Amino acid sequence: STKTITKQKNKTLNFEYKDIYYGTQSDILELEKEESKDLKSQNFGLALHYMLEMIGSFELKNIQDAKDMMLNKYGHLLEEGEIADIQNRVITLLKGNNFKKLTDGQCYKEKAIRYNNNLRYIDLLVKHKSGIWNVIDYKSSLAYSEHHLKQVDYYVKAIKEITGEDVAGYVCYI
């Protein structure tokens, strides 16, 4: 058999090198601290929401059962102080006259709605005894308050369009 050998010219490819700054160890540790704080805040907010979802009717007698359910799901992520803080916030909320007035009616917790091809969950939707719908969105922090208002406005618009009835929206900072 015969072999055919062909020579190829060496092609040189030029690659562009960009020096990237990855940060010093202290920069990286600072970022990790921030991410850790954000994660702690998120876990706190999720646990607070879950306790309110599990409370049944909004009565003080239901606090312990809701707290136990919250601990079963989120207890391993929370510190003792955070658990006490969540419980105190929920107690304060339930004792508040404004919250009692807003929730005087048929309550739907974590109500899923589909609007404009988006699936969203409303923390608390109340068909108030007066006939108006109340959209209540719980928040555990004042951070991002402008975003919170836009979120509730979206929910109000959706419920109004879906039901054709009057709707009011509230951001509930707990």
Side-chain angles (χ1 to χ4, degrees):
S1 70
T2 50
K3 292 184 181 178
T4 306
I5 300 174
T6 55
K7 282 189 171 184
Q8 276 188 318
K9 288 185 178 179
N10 288 340
K11 291 184 180 179
T12 305
L13 299 174
N14 293 324
F15 292 100
E16 188 177 321
Y17 173 78
K18 290 184 181 179
D19 191 20
I20 300 172
Y21 175 71
Y22 289 103
T24 63
Q25 185 175 5
S26 61
D27 292 341
I28 294 167
L29 291 174
E30 191 60 38
L31 282 174
E32 286 178 0
K33 274 190 214 172
E34 283 181 32
E35 288 174 8
S36 176
K37 284 180 192 174
D38 288 346
L39 186 58
K40 281 185 81 56
S41 297
Q42 288 173 359
N43 289 335
F44 182 92
L46 288 170
L48 175 65
H49 274 75
Y50 191 73
M51 185 168 170
L52 288 165
E53 183 182 353
M54 295 295 110
I55 202 160
S57 61
F58 294 112
E59 298 177 45
L60 290 172
K61 67 180 182 178
N62 297 328
I63 292 274
Q64 189 58 52
D65 288 341
K67 178 183 172 185
D68 290 343
M69 287 185 262
M70 181 267 297
L71 288 174
N72 284 337
K73 188 166 184 174
Y74 293 99
H76 66 287
L77 299 171
L78 302 169
E79 296 174 9
E80 286 298 317
E82 291 173 313
I83 294 166
D85 189 8
I86 290 171
Q87 181 176 345
N88 289 335
R89 289 181 189 212
V90 172
I91 289 170
T92 302
L93 177 69
L94 297 186
K95 286 182 176 180
N97 286 329
N98 288 335
F99 188 74
K100 287 179 187 177
K101 288 177 188 173
L102 290 175
T103 57
D104 189 15
Q106 183 64 44
C107 296
Y108 303 93
K109 297 174 187 167
E110 295 298 321
K111 185 67 176 167
I113 61 165
R114 181 170 298 282
Y115 179 69
N116 288 340
N117 291 324
N118 292 310
L119 178 63
R120 303 284 168 89
Y121 291 87
I122 297 174
D123 292 337
L124 182 60
L125 179 63
V126 180
K127 179 63 173 182
H128 197 269
K129 286 183 178 180
S130 68
I132 194 169
W133 287 96
N134 287 332
V135 172
I136 300 171
D137 196 48
Y138 306 129
K139 298 297 177 191
S140 58
S141 167
L142 291 170
Y144 312 109
S145 58
E146 280 196 34
H147 173 73
H148 300 158
L149 294 173
K150 288 178 184 176
Q151 182 181 5
V152 170
D153 284 344
Y154 178 88
Y155 295 155
V156 167
K157 183 179 177 188
I159 297 299
K160 189 170 199 153
E161 193 170 311
I162 292 167
T163 66
E165 299 175 10
D166 290 334
V167 183
Y170 302 90
V171 179
C172 183
Y173 292 101
I174 303 171

